[in-house]
Amino acid sequence: DTAVSQTPKYLVTQMGNDKSIKCEQNLGHDTMYWYKQDSKKFLKIMFSYNNKELIINETVPNRFSPKSPDKAHLNLHINSLELGDSAVYFCASSQVPSGRPSDTQYFGPGTRLTVL
Amino acid sequence: KQEVTQIPAALSVPEGENLVLNCSFTDSAIYNLQWFRQDPGKGLTSLLLIQSSQREQTSGRLNASLDKSSGRSTLYIAASQPGDSATYLCAVRGNNAGNMLTFGGGTRLMVKP
């Protein structure tokens, strides 16, 4: 009955590979997010997505792309992995009622990506 | 561009002590501010969310205050316990599209038995 789940929990791969991280939420939320936490523990937003629009943080390289097969899933695809992509990636979701301030964001357990 | 700063970066206290964690943000045009807890190797757990129109929120031994005009929030933890040991993060939802949060660097709290 996990609210926001991510797979895999750990991912170790070689530079130059393409990989995906999956995220699913069973909360019925309409907005999902991807965050990156670097080695200094700073959390930064990468993407915000609902069924209407994708908002991209301008600092995110275009090697990163979110893909949403349906409202409950937002997967993160990464092409041509680089050493600097090593980090913990967190998925989150929230319900954003129209015209009202945003609601609490619920986070997944994170995926630790190591690029060798 | 919104910047969020948390002080102190690390804090160690004996069990039972009351403590205050500080968060400041540079752009006061926020929708809300959220406090999270992160345990080592784990995800984030939302503790409290304060809307921009509110001054404080309470949950159990936790009390969060918000002074939007001065760009500050505090998280007060009463009667601290070893189980409170974790990293505490504050995040603001600013006047940006996509409901994105800007996080502070966190305060790493250790409560010693």
Side-chain angles (χ1 to χ4, degrees):
Chain A
D1 60 347
T2 303
V4 182
S5 59
Q6 295 178 228
T7 54
K9 189 172 182 179
Y10 300 96
L11 181 57
V12 181
T13 188
Q14 298 285 338
M15 239 179 3
N17 285 348
D18 302 337
K19 290 293 179 185
S20 295
I21 305 173
K22 295 184 178 181
C23 177
E24 176 182 3
Q25 54 94 5
N26 61 7
L27 298 167
H29 288 167
D30 59 12
T31 305
M32 297 182 71
Y33 316 82
W34 277 103
Y35 290 85
K36 177 180 179 180
Q37 188 172 39
D38 61 24
S39 58
K40 296 181 179 178
K41 305 299 183 185
F42 283 102
L43 260 163
K44 292 185 180 177
I45 183 70
M46 300 177 71
F47 304 101
S48 166
Y49 181 80
N50 63 24
N51 58 3
K52 297 178 182 176
E53 63 179 345
L54 170 66
I55 306 294
I56 303 172
N57 185 323
E58 65 275 8
T59 65
V60 176
N62 57 15
R63 297 181 294 103
F64 290 79
S65 58
K67 301 225 187 299
S68 180
D70 55 58
K71 185 178 165 180
H73 296 83
L74 184 65
N75 303 325
L76 182 64
H77 295 266
I78 315 171
N79 295 326
S80 302
L81 277 157
E82 300 178 357
L83 294 177
D85 297 334
S86 296
V88 181
Y89 292 84
F90 288 97
C91 176
S93 73
S94 72
Q95 187 69 24
V96 185
S98 175
R100 291 201 279 124
S102 56
D103 209 340
T104 300
Q105 292 194 15
Y106 295 85
F107 281 73
T111 295
R112 182 175 294 277
L113 171 65
T114 302
V115 182
L116 303 175
Chain B
K1 179 186 173 187
Q2 179 74 268
E3 292 183 5
V4 182
T5 304
Q6 290 186 244
I7 295 173
L11 182 62
S12 181
V13 300
E15 182 178 4
E17 197 163 292
N18 302 326
L19 56 100
V20 175
L21 308 181
N22 297 293
C23 173
S24 61
F25 45 95
T26 55
D27 186 350
S28 61
I30 65 169
Y31 281 123
N32 62 41
L33 182 144
Q34 199 165 349
W35 281 94
F36 293 88
R37 169 187 173 137
Q38 184 175 27
D39 293 282
K42 300 285 180 66
L44 281 72
T45 301
S46 179
L47 299 173
L48 291 163
L49 182 146
I50 311 177
Q51 303 292 359
S52 60
S53 58
Q54 297 174 324
R55 299 284 292 182
E56 65 176 344
Q57 283 285 334
T58 298
S59 176
R61 293 182 294 108
L62 304 179
N63 175 277
S65 67
L66 174 63
D67 184 343
K68 197 174 78 162
S69 60
S70 67
R72 293 178 185 173
S73 175
T74 60
L75 179 67
Y76 176 82
I77 302 178
S80 58
Q81 303 171 357
D84 295 331
S85 298
T87 296
Y88 291 80
L89 296 155
C90 81
V92 296
R93 155 75 160 104
N95 188 22
N96 53 24
N99 192 34
M100 299 189 210
L101 296 176
T102 303
F103 280 83
T107 294
R108 193 169 62 255
L109 173 65
M110 172 72 72
V111 180
K112 295 175 287 188

